[in-house]
């Protein structure tokens, strides 16, 4: 049973960037609160961050952000898409609850993304470029390059790019330079950690294949092993 708290000692602290050790981020979309906390405890020392999305926040409460933040860096995947004032209010509340990062949409425009960066107050803002599901090619893919450039210009910490289309991760890398690339779509959606990481992703985001497994720690270890064996191209 993992006991180490990665946020203490040499781990990451509030307001610092998330660590980069395993290059795996858990997407904790488990809606049974007790099981969600159990999974988080099982894997907190293995993954670099835990990403929380609406399913778990709505099934429990925003307090879950704070609880998870005692175990790990927490990224709030709220895909915020609104006018600058509302974006700013949402990001501030997420940060107040303990978020180390917040994911926002970029199609709202640079004023909204800049508002997010400002409200994050040193925490990290990640901008969605091209989404990983099949529908992601309809509207997000044609705009992805320009969204990625805008993320750089607005001072975001990174972008979200699809592990289901690793060649698109490579294309995004050429645009964003040193910005972080977080790549969802591994496992349940058909993408692989090794191809996303070898094409330039800094982290892979993995949900169902870890939290839905009978033994989440073993499932996480398998992804971590795959990530460890993969180097950047
Ligand atoms: O498919 P999984 O169960 O591994 O979960 C992926 C997570 O990443 C999930 O929370 C989803 O909302 C998020 N995500 C994508 O899957 C694709 C995107 O383009 C952006 C976020």
């Amino acid at each position: 049973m993992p006991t180490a708290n990665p946020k203490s000692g040499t781990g990451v602290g509030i307001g610092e960037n998330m660590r980069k050790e395993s290059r795996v981020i858990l997407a904790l979309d488990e809606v049974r609160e007790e099981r969600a906390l159990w999974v988080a405890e099982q894997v907190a020392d293995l993954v670099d961050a835990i990403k929380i999305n609406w399913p778990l926040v709505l099934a429990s409460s925003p307090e879950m952000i704070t609880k998870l933040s005692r175990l790990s860096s927490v990224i709030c995947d709220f895909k915020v898409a609104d006018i600058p004032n509302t974006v700013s209010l949402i990001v501030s509340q997420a940060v107040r609850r303990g978020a180390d990062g917040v994911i926002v949409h970029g199609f709202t425009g640079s004023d909204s993304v800049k508002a997010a960066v400002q409200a994050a107050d040193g925490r990290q803002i990640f901008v969605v470029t091209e989404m990983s599901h099949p529908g992601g090619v309809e509207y997000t893919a044609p705009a992805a390059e320009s969204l990625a450039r805008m993320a750089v210009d607005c001072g975001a910490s990174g972008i979200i790019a699809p592990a289901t289309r690793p060649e698109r991760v490579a294309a995004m890398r050429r645009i964003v330079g040193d910005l972080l690339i977080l790549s969802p779509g591994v496992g349940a959606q058909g993408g692989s950690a090794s191809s996303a990481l070898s094409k330039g992703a800094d982290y892979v985001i993995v949900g169902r294949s870890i939290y839905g497994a009978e033994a989440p720690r073993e499932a996480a270890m398998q992804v971590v092993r795959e990530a460890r064996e993969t180097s950047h191209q």
Side-chain angles (χ1 to χ4, degrees):
M1 174 68 75
T3 50
N5 179 352
K7 294 193 85 168
S8 62
T10 56
V12 112
I14 298 293
E16 295 169 36
N17 292 343
M18 81 179 125
R19 68 183 183 188
K20 196 170 181 184
E21 287 173 19
S22 67
R23 299 192 288 159
V24 177
I25 295 170
L26 169 68
L28 190 56
D29 296 329
E30 168 62 61
V31 292
R32 291 163 294 180
E33 186 172 349
E34 268 184 30
R35 185 175 157 92
L37 281 169
W38 175 76
V39 171
E41 280 161 13
Q42 287 279 306
V43 308
D45 66 322
L46 295 177
V47 298
D48 287 336
I50 295 177
K51 184 180 83 63
I52 184 169
N53 197 336
W54 292 115
L56 179 55
V57 172
L58 295 172
S60 56
S61 84
E63 178 62 18
M64 182 57 85
I65 300 166
T66 314
K67 285 184 188 169
L68 293 174
S69 75
R70 295 186 189 116
L71 297 168
S72 168
S73 290
V74 174
I75 298 172
C76 286
D77 182 2
F78 293 161
K79 294 196 185 66
V80 188
D82 219 311
I83 59 168
N85 184 61
T86 310
V87 167
S88 176
L89 291 170
I90 294 170
V91 169
S92 310
Q93 291 304 316
V95 164
R96 185 180 72 82
R97 295 273 180 183
D100 298 285
V102 181
I103 297 176
V104 305
H105 266 300
F107 65 76
T108 48
S110 54
D111 52 352
S112 286
V113 173
K114 279 182 193 152
V117 171
Q118 203 172 352
D121 196 23
R123 276 73 168 186
Q124 298 182 297
I125 292 296
F126 303 100
V127 177
V128 177
T129 57
E130 178 175 329
M131 295 197 72
S132 62
H133 62 308
V137 302
E138 294 175 12
Y139 297 101
T140 61
E145 274 87 354
S146 129
L147 290 169
R149 266 189 295 275
M150 189 264 282
V152 175
D153 292 345
C154 290
S157 298
I159 60 163
I160 311 293
T164 46
R165 284 171 232 112
E167 72 287 355
R168 298 294 292 152
V169 174
M172 295 296 114
R173 172 56 73 204
R174 288 192 285 275
I175 292 169
V176 301
D178 288 342
L179 246 60
L180 296 174
I181 299 183
L182 280 50
S183 198
V186 168
Q189 295 181 51
S192 87
S194 57
S195 43
L197 291 167
S198 66
K199 293 291 186 190
D202 293 286
Y203 300 89
V204 284
I205 294 173
V206 188
R208 285 164 284 180
S209 347
I210 294 178
Y211 75 76
E214 236 171 80
R217 185 169 174 81
E218 277 64 44
M221 280 169 74
Q222 209 172 311
V223 186
V224 168
R225 258 195 304 274
E226 184 180 337
R228 198 175 296 136
E229 285 159 11
T230 310
S231 56
H232 288 277
Q233 254 183 1

